[in-house]
């Protein structure tokens, strides 16, 4: 027991590490949680102006149609755009069109060239390239691009109608296009607070916690183990009637106490910051417990790293460097900083070789599921099991170094 107390005293003799790596980084994680929480609130909050209670109304863009053809199909283009967009009349003048685009009077200008109707009918029925409409973009390029897509859709419908009806007149083709473009799918807005949205703040915090747990455990437990491995201290201990097995077990017990304390402190901060104490709506209490247990299993990975580094005789500066670099690298590959879906295939493949990926996958499985099914539990067990295997493999490397040193 005295050995365990002495080992803990070594860790508490460096309060700056506990304050920075445990308290400060946990507080930093709360800001991430608050940001994710506010983003989820905005995503599930009030509907935008374009959304209605009984459906969805697309936003209108102001557009001007310059009809230089004066045909039935060109008039049909103006009528078609007028059903969904706001038509603005401007003069067929170069200066007037440039001024309208520059001042934001219109988002786009559609110019129907002379002879467009005849060229469209001939090209559609002969299989040649269709004549193009000139579209000038304004300041709102997104609205103009959507308008360009709408015009291209109308042109495709007109060419298909003309090709299917080889002897139809321009007015008949316009009628066919009118009936085809009138077909729309019914759209409605369904609102539901999913379990994944509710659990996202806690999940984001636990993902970030992999960095703070790695840094704190590697540095604090590494200092304890490296200090207890000093030759002069070991010589004094072995001079006393203390079996080596008892020395190792007491030192390990002190490190386990440190790991549990770090995990407990970061977990309490995460539960308070994410609001899990106040309400568990959308999250099962069992899911929260399983997620925290997954982080506890992960905490033994940096403990195994600290043991290996101590057996390799790394000092205090090396432990700080390795803890920070290793924690940042593992948390990055686990998706704490950037979602893995935004990264390349090679990075996602490498992520499978770090324990944070499997831990975060297990946490996401239980927190994002409304019901804990066998499939969810199997995915959780796989992630936690692989993480535990990482800890065992790294500890075996440390044991090999110990045997080599002896």
């Amino acid at each position: 027991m005295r050995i365990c107390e002495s080992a803990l005293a070594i860790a508490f003799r460096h309060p700056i590490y506990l304050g920075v790596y445990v308290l400060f980084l946990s507080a930093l994680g709360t800001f991430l949680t608050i940001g994710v929480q506010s983003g989820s609130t905005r995503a599930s909050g009030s509907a935008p102006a374009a959304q209605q209670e009984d459906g969805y109304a697309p936003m209108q863009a102001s557009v001007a149609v310059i009809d230089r053809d004066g045909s039935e199909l060109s008039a049909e283009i103006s009528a078609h755009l007028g059903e969904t967009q706001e038509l603005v009349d401007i003069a067929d003048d170069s200066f007037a069109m440039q001024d309208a685009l520059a001042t934001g009077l219109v988002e786009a200008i559609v110019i129907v060239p002379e002879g467009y109707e005849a060229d469209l009918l001939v090209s559609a029925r002969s299989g040649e390239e269709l004549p193009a409409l000139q579209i000038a973009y304004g300041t709102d390029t997104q609205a103009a691009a959507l308008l360009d897509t709408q015009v291209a859709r109308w042109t495709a419908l007109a060419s298909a109608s003309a090709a299917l009806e080889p002897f139809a007149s321009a007015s008949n083709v316009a009628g066919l296009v009118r009936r085809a473009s009138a077909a729309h799918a019914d759209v409605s807005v369904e609102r539901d607070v999913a379990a994944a949205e509710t659990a996202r703040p806690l999940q984001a915090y636990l993902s970030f916690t992999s960095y703070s747990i790695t840094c704190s455990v590697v540095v604090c437990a590494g200092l304890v183990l490296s200090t207890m491995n000093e030759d002069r201290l070991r010589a004094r201990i072995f001079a006393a009637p203390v079996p080596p097995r008892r020395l190792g077990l007491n030192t390990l017990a002190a490190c386990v106490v440190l790991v549990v304390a770090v995990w407990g402190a970061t977990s309490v901060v995460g539960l308070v910051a994410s609001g899990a104490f106040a309400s568990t709506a959308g999250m099962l209490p069992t899911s929260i417990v399983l997620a925290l247990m997954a982080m506890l299993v992960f905490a033994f990975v940096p403990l195994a790293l600290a043991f290996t580094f101590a057996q390799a005789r790394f000092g205090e500066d090396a432990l700080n460097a390795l803890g920070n670099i290793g924690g940042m690298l593992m948390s990055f590959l686990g998706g704490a900083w950037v979602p893995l879906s935004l990264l390349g295939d090679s990075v996602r493949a490498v992520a499978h070789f770090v324990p944070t990926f499997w831990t975060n996958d297990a946490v996401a499985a239980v927190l994002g599921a409304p019901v804990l099914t066998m499939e969810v539990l199997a995915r959780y067990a796989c992630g936690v099991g692989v993480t535990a295997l990482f800890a065992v493999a790294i500890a075996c490397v440390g044991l090999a170094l110990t045997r080599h040193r002896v």
Side-chain angles (χ1 to χ4, degrees):
M1 191 65 183
R2 293 288 299 275
I3 297 175
C4 181
E5 294 176 357
S6 300
L8 289 175
I10 296 173
F12 289 114
R13 208 174 294 143
H14 302 81
I16 185 65
Y17 296 140
L18 296 174
V20 171
Y21 292 133
V22 180
L23 299 180
F24 176 74
L25 290 182
S26 297
L28 188 63
T30 59
F31 291 102
L32 175 65
T33 304
I34 294 172
V36 173
Q37 218 165 17
S38 60
S40 300
T41 303
R42 287 194 299 268
S44 60
S46 59
Q51 294 185 4
Q52 301 174 349
E53 293 182 358
D54 57 348
Y56 180 83
M59 185 177 295
Q60 288 188 338
S62 57
V63 58
V65 179
I66 306 299
D67 188 0
R68 296 175 180 174
D69 190 28
S71 60
E72 295 186 20
L73 289 184
S74 61
E76 184 63 26
I77 293 176
S78 300
H80 175 72
L81 294 178
E83 294 176 357
T84 56
Q85 312 298 336
E86 179 185 357
L87 293 181
V88 179
D89 293 330
I90 61 174
D92 187 4
D93 179 71
S94 178
F95 177 79
M97 288 188 287
Q98 292 178 8
D99 182 71
L101 292 173
T103 58
L105 180 62
V106 294
E107 273 81 23
I109 297 177
V110 180
I111 302 176
V112 183
E114 186 177 357
Y116 175 77
E117 178 184 284
D119 294 341
L120 176 64
L121 295 177
V122 172
S123 300
R125 289 165 178 169
S126 62
E128 299 178 358
E129 185 178 358
L130 298 176
L133 293 173
Q134 300 179 16
I135 299 179
Y137 283 30
T139 56
D140 192 348
T141 57
Q142 184 177 9
L146 292 175
L147 182 67
D148 193 353
T149 303
Q150 184 179 0
V151 172
R153 174 177 176 269
W154 186 93
T155 304
L157 290 175
S159 63
S161 301
L164 293 174
E165 298 291 340
F167 302 103
S169 61
S171 59
N172 292 334
V173 171
L176 293 173
V177 175
R178 194 179 307 113
R179 287 193 298 270
S181 61
H184 293 284
D186 294 332
V187 178
S188 60
V189 179
E190 297 291 339
R191 298 196 173 275
D192 186 21
V193 180
E197 292 294 330
T198 309
R200 186 181 297 177
L202 180 59
Q203 181 181 341
Y205 175 83
L206 293 180
S207 180
F208 175 80
T209 302
S210 61
Y211 172 58
S212 59
I213 289 179
T214 301
C215 292
S216 55
V217 173
V218 166
V219 174
C220 297
L223 280 175
V224 172
L225 293 171
S226 60
T227 303
M228 297 297 289
N229 282 335
E230 291 182 357
D231 294 335
R232 289 183 298 177
L233 181 59
R234 292 179 66 85
R236 291 178 58 186
I237 294 176
F238 288 151
V242 178
R245 183 182 300 273
R246 181 182 174 185
L247 172 64
L249 291 177
N250 279 268
T251 305
L252 178 62
C255 294
V256 171
V257 170
L258 281 175
V259 169
V260 174
V262 170
W263 166 79
T266 54
S267 299
V268 170
V269 173
L271 292 175
V272 173
S274 62
F277 276 154
S279 173
T280 57
M283 286 190 295
L284 297 175
T286 308
S287 299
I288 299 177
V289 173
L290 290 176
L292 296 180
M293 288 298 104
M295 297 308 300
L296 178 60
V297 174
F298 169 78
F300 285 95
V301 174
L303 176 59
L305 287 172
F307 172 70
T308 303
F309 294 155
Q311 301 309 313
R313 297 301 184 93
F314 287 126
E316 183 176 348
D317 295 336
L319 290 173
N320 277 280
L322 292 172
N324 278 278
I325 296 174
M328 190 170 296
L329 179 62
M330 287 198 302
S331 60
F332 172 77
L333 292 176
W337 307 100
V338 180
L340 291 178
S341 58
L342 301 179
L343 302 178
D345 294 337
S346 58
V347 178
R348 289 198 296 268
V350 173
H352 286 74
F353 294 92
V354 294
T356 48
F357 172 84
W358 299 99
T359 302
N360 292 338
D361 185 69
V363 171
V366 293
L367 290 183
V371 180
L372 294 178
T373 61
M374 291 302 299
E375 182 180 357
V376 173
L377 292 177
R379 178 183 169 188
Y380 171 82
C382 177
V384 174
V386 174
T387 303
L389 289 177
F390 271 102
V392 173
I394 297 172
C396 289
V397 175
L399 291 174
L401 291 176
T402 303
R403 182 178 180 84
H404 178 72
R405 195 184 72 182
V406 171

